[in-house]
Amino acid sequence: MSEQEVKSVIPLESNPEVFGGFAKSLGLHDAWTFQDIYSLVDPDLLAFLPRPVKAVILLFPLSEESEKELREKPEAEAVIQDPSNSTNKNYPIWFKQTVRNACGLYALLHSLSNNQDLLTEDSILKQFLTSNPVPHGKYSNNEALDNFIVSISEIYHERSLQGDTAAPPAENEVELHFITFVEKDGVLYELDGRNPSGAKPLGKTVAAESNGEPDLLNEPLLKERFEWYHNNASESMKLQFSLLGLGPSLN
C-alpha cells in the first residue's frame, strides 16, 4: 500500500461490547471476551475481573513524550528484534499499522494473534495466521496482510458504529491511540503498530520468575507502563485513559 493509497477508517470506541463483538467475528471462542479494567491497583475493583487476563489494550492520549519515545529506538529493543539473534526468535506477532485511525483494529489483532489457543479452528483469523506463517514473530507490511485488513474492513465498519458515542469521520485526526500488552515466553511486550522497532520488550514477567500461570493483571511492569503514559499526559487529558482486558467470559 503506497503513501498515496493509505486507507482511513472510523476509530473504534474503547468499549468491551464493541471489542468483544468484533473479536467474536474474527474467531474468539465464546468462553473468552473483553472486560473493562477500572484499576490496576485497587484490589476491590480487580476482584470483580475474571482471571487470568491474557492481553490488555490501553487507550491513551498522545503526548509529546509518547511521540518522542516512539521515534527513538533503544539499543536493547533493537537487539531483541533482530532475527539474527538466535536467542530471541520467539517474539510475539506484531503488525505494522498501515490503515489510518485503525489502531483499535491492530490492538485487537495483536491481542488475538498472540493468544491463538483462544480462537476457534475454523475462524477467519486462525485461517489467515495458519496460511500466512509469521517469520521471526512479526509481519512486514505485505500484500497478504493488506488484503486481510481489507477483507475484514466491513466488520470493522459495523463495529465502529456500535459504540455509545458518535463516531468521528474517518478522515479526522485523533488524539487517542490504542496499544496492546501481551506475554510471550515469560517476557511482557508492548505492541504498537506505529512503532518502527516492532514489539517492545518490557522485561521478564512475575509469572516467569515464579513458574506460575501468566496473568497480566499481576505484572508490575504493566502498572509501571500505564503510569508512564498517565504521568506524561496533560492534565486535561488524564480522564481519557481506558483499559480493556481479554479474559474468561462471565457467561
Side-chain angles (χ1 to χ4, degrees):
M1 187 180 296
S2 69
E3 190 72 23
Q4 291 78 20
E5 298 172 327
V6 172
K7 181 179 177 62
S8 295
V9 296
I10 299 171
L12 282 182
E13 180 180 303
S14 183
N15 179 317
E17 292 185 4
V18 171
F19 271 79
F22 193 7
K24 293 293 194 299
S25 299
L26 294 179
L28 181 63
H29 194 280
D30 286 339
W32 296 83
T33 191
F34 283 90
Q35 307 277 356
D36 278 316
I37 300 173
Y38 294 110
S39 174
L40 292 173
V41 294
D42 187 321
D44 292 330
L45 293 175
L46 288 169
F48 289 101
L49 288 168
R51 312 285 279 272
V53 170
K54 296 288 192 176
V56 170
I57 294 177
L58 168 64
L59 177 68
F60 67 95
L62 298 174
S63 68
E64 184 178 339
E65 284 301 313
S66 66
E67 293 300 279
K68 177 182 177 183
E69 185 191 62
L70 195 65
R71 293 190 298 268
E72 296 174 349
K73 297 181 181 180
E75 188 173 323
E77 185 175 333
V79 169
I80 201 166
Q81 285 300 317
D82 182 357
S84 66
N85 184 348
S86 61
T87 63
N88 290 310
K89 288 190 176 179
N90 294 321
Y91 340 118
I93 293 175
W94 173 83
F95 300 92
K96 178 181 179 180
Q97 182 175 341
T98 59
V99 180
R100 185 179 175 206
N101 290 343
C103 54
L105 182 152
Y106 288 92
L108 182 60
L109 289 178
H110 286 149
S111 300
L112 301 181
S113 299
N114 290 294
N115 287 287
Q116 294 184 45
D117 56 321
L118 309 185
L119 298 173
T120 58
E121 288 300 321
D122 59 348
S123 65
I124 57 176
L125 179 55
K126 189 66 172 285
Q127 290 178 2
F128 170 75
L129 294 170
T130 301
S131 302
N132 298 274
V134 186
H136 303 298
K138 69 175 186 178
Y139 282 110
S140 60
N141 180 17
N142 58 40
E143 185 177 1
L145 178 57
D146 285 348
N147 290 339
F148 179 72
I149 296 296
V150 170
S151 74
I152 62 175
S153 60
E154 186 58 36
I155 304 174
Y156 178 95
H157 179 70
E158 291 173 2
R159 296 298 171 184
S160 68
L161 300 177
Q162 292 178 358
D164 295 328
T165 58
E171 294 76 19
N172 277 18
E173 292 288 344
V174 294
E175 297 180 328
L176 304 176
H177 186 60
F178 287 103
I179 58 175
T180 307
F181 298 91
V182 298
E183 178 271 345
K184 178 68 175 179
D185 293 343
V187 176
L188 182 66
Y189 288 88
E190 178 179 315
L191 306 179
D192 182 342
R194 300 188 310 147
N195 190 336
S197 297
K200 180 183 181 67
L202 300 178
K204 198 168 185 179
T205 63
V206 169
E209 297 284 1
S210 62
N211 294 319
E213 181 181 17
D215 183 345
L216 298 196
L217 294 188
N218 292 333
E219 297 301 330
L221 289 170
L222 174 63
K223 300 176 179 68
E224 291 173 12
R225 198 64 180 143
F226 174 84
E227 290 175 0
W228 185 89
Y229 281 106
H230 195 263
N231 291 339
N232 282 293
S234 64
E235 288 300 321
S236 62
M237 298 294 284
K238 287 189 182 295
L239 295 179
Q240 300 298 314
F241 284 79
S242 71
L243 289 161
L244 296 173
L246 174 59
S249 174
L250 290 172
N251 298 328

